[in-house]
């Protein structure tokens, strides 16, 4: 197996465990973002430029979702 296969296996396992461990979509998407960022940071030496570029839209989408989740939680705290 190549390093790229191990990276994909780690990310798949992370998403699966996150899905099974959480009951909330907000927490699941946040954990998925964390796993993806860890994967990109640790595996950046082994991924090609094209692979990194193909993962950027997913990271950006998950960052937008994370920002929405944070804004929702801040609103809940401020509204009482």
């Amino acid at each position: 197996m190549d390093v790229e296969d191990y990276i994909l296996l780690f990310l798949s396992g992370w998403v699966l465990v996150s899905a099974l461990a959480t009951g909330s979509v907000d927490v699941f998407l946040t954990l998925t973002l964390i796993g993806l960022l860890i994967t990109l940071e640790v595996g950046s030496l082994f991924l090609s430029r094209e692979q990194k570029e193909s993962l950027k839209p997913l990271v950006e989408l998950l960052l937008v979702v994370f920002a929405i989740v944070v804004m929702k939680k801040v609103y809940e705290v401020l509204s009482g």
Side-chain angles (χ1 to χ4, degrees), residues 1-16 32 34-48 51-52 54-55:
M1 285 178 63
D2 293 299
V3 175
E4 296 167 352
D5 295 334
Y6 286 119
I7 291 172
L8 181 62
L9 185 64
F10 168 77
L11 189 57
S12 300
W14 181 276
V15 170
L16 181 66
T32 303
I34 291 169
L36 186 58
L37 290 174
I38 289 171
T39 303
L40 283 175
E41 189 64 31
V42 172
S44 64
L45 297 174
F46 305 104
L47 294 175
S48 68
Q51 291 169 331
K52 290 179 203 174
S54 67
L55 288 175

Side-chain angles (χ1 to χ4, degrees), residues 4-78:
E4 296 167 352
D5 295 334
Y6 286 119
I7 291 172
L8 181 62
L9 185 64
F10 168 77
L11 189 57
S12 300
W14 181 276
V15 170
L16 181 66
V17 169
S18 298
L20 295 175
T22 62
S24 170
V25 175
D26 297 342
V27 176
F28 167 71
L29 291 174
T30 302
L31 288 175
T32 303
L33 174 63
I34 291 169
L36 186 58
L37 290 174
I38 289 171
T39 303
L40 283 175
E41 189 64 31
V42 172
S44 64
L45 297 174
F46 305 104
L47 294 175
S48 68
R49 183 173 182 88
E50 294 82 26
Q51 291 169 331
K52 290 179 203 174
E53 290 296 322
S54 67
L55 288 175
K56 273 189 178 181
L58 182 59
V59 170
E60 292 170 355
L61 176 68
L62 288 173
L63 281 173
V64 169
V65 170
F66 179 72
I68 292 170
V69 168
V70 169
M71 288 187 289
K72 186 173 86 172
K73 294 295 180 183
V74 168
Y75 178 76
E76 288 175 6
V77 168
L78 291 178

